[in-house]
Amino acid sequence: MRLAGKVAIVTGGTKGLGHSVAQAFAKEGCRVVCAARRPDERGELPPLGAGDLAHHPVDVRDPGSVDALMRATYETYGRLDVVVANAGLSRPGPAERLTPEDWSDVIATNLNGTFLTVRSAIPYVERDGGGRIITLSSALATRVARGSSAYAASKAGIEALTRVVAVELAGRPVTVNCLSPGFVDEGMGRELARNEALWSYYGGKIAQGRAGRADEIAEAALFLAGDASSYVNGHVLEVNGGLSW
Ligand SMILES: NC(=O)c1ccc[n+]([C@@H]2O[C@H](COP(=O)([O-])OP(=O)(O)OC[C@H]3O[C@@H](n4cnc5c(N)ncnc54)[C@H](OP(=O)(O)O)[C@@H]3O)[C@@H](O)[C@H]2O)c1
């Protein structure tokens, strides 16, 4: 039980990678709030306090909504140890045709949403013995793929934000790290992993020759959330099967 007695929030925890991370945390003894704009599609998540995995609404683009999520979680469970800023979206398209609205959607959700989540989490996770903040990047933060301008820019910003906040908090009992998945057969990566034309182009760049599984990403998140990573700080952990680009 690597997270016994702990409480976590996973934004975007209602589906995709976030839900896999939430399930993995719960299996290790953690109570997890899966926060997103909508409840999960399966209708399995009860409200706060009613189960090890619960749902609470949040829009990570809205500072008041993010603050309310942190406050409600702390008031319900009496502690908050781990916050995973996972909520994200992608709007692919060449920069010259990408609308300002699409660009703004991606930056508001991925970059601003991560900033708002990290900022709001700090006063809670540093209480009660300290804690962990984990952000989500992508292999595309540091590799060039046509059509990924907004997404790649948002993820590069998240990596920079993570490093800076880790240093700013280094004297306090909080670590801030970033998880950077490659191509995963889950969530927004599923379409790519199952699209033959795309896969024939990108698949060859993965040394292990296959897409990642959600449980492999969740295992890396568990490492960053638990005691085993106590001396890991400001790090971007790539989990991508050996991606050479
Ligand atoms: N899957 C991959 O291959 C892959 C690879 C690299 C990085 N990543 C990163 O991993 C993270 C999760 O990706 P995924 O593939 O699991 O995506 P996904 O299946 O599309 O799930 C995205 C989650 O984010 C939530 N969300 C979106 N906008 C939100 C908002 N404004 N406020 C609150 N929640 C919001 C969604 O719920 P609602 O829409 O109901 O709000 C949903 O729960 C993202 O940061 C993504 O960039 C994924």
Side-chain angles (χ1 to χ4, degrees):
M1 286 293 190
R2 283 177 276 180
L3 299 179
K6 300 208 185 275
V7 174
I9 291 172
V10 181
T11 67
T14 52
K15 62 177 186 173
L17 296 187
H19 194 60
S20 299
V21 168
Q23 286 177 311
F25 283 13
K27 271 193 200 140
E28 295 289 337
C30 190
R31 285 167 293 171
V32 190
V33 180
C34 302
R37 289 168 299 179
R38 294 167 287 246
D40 62 309
E41 287 154 3
R42 298 163 301 276
E44 288 167 358
L45 293 171
L48 286 193
D52 288 346
L53 282 176
H55 172 258
H56 193 72
V58 74
D59 185 338
V60 297
R61 299 167 299 183
D62 173 359
S65 174
V66 175
D67 287 347
L69 167 69
M70 302 295 161
R71 193 167 52 248
T73 302
Y74 196 85
E75 284 173 3
T76 302
Y77 299 101
R79 60 186 300 128
L80 177 57
D81 306 281
V82 182
V83 172
V84 185
N86 162 85
L89 53 77
S90 176
R91 296 269 184 273
E96 65 175 335
R97 292 205 294 274
L98 197 68
T99 66
E101 290 75 21
D102 280 347
W103 172 273
S104 297
D105 260 2
V106 175
I107 299 301
T109 305
N110 297 5
L111 184 54
N112 298 1
T114 298
F115 162 69
L116 293 173
T117 304
V118 168
R119 170 185 168 277
S120 184
I122 292 167
Y124 295 100
V125 295
E126 76 173 336
R127 296 179 199 170
D128 312 311
R132 303 273 189 267
I133 296 173
I134 302 168
T135 61
L136 260 291
S137 181
S138 158
L140 296 182
T142 50
R143 294 159 182 93
V144 176
R146 287 186 176 84
S148 72
S149 58
Y151 185 75
S154 73
K155 294 299 185 180
I158 288 170
E159 292 191 5
L161 171 73
T162 304
R163 292 191 186 95
V164 171
V165 181
V167 167
E168 288 174 352
L169 298 183
R172 290 147 70 179
V174 182
T175 64
V176 190
N177 289 294
C178 182
L179 184 55
S180 174
F183 297 109
V184 186
D185 189 11
E186 180 63 66
M188 62 176 75
R190 183 162 272 183
E191 187 193 340
L192 176 72
R194 295 182 181 189
N195 178 319
E196 263 180 48
L198 285 173
W199 184 251
S200 66
Y201 182 71
Y202 289 109
K205 300 178 189 297
I206 303 170
Q208 285 182 234
R210 63 170 176 85
R213 299 188 311 268
D215 66 283
E216 293 173 313
I217 305 305
E219 194 58 39
L222 261 174
F223 167 68
L224 292 177
D227 292 342
S229 64
S230 55
Y231 200 52
V232 180
N233 206 1
H235 183 62
V236 178
L237 177 58
E238 293 209 303
V239 183
N240 58 29
L243 195 57
S244 55
W245 197 290

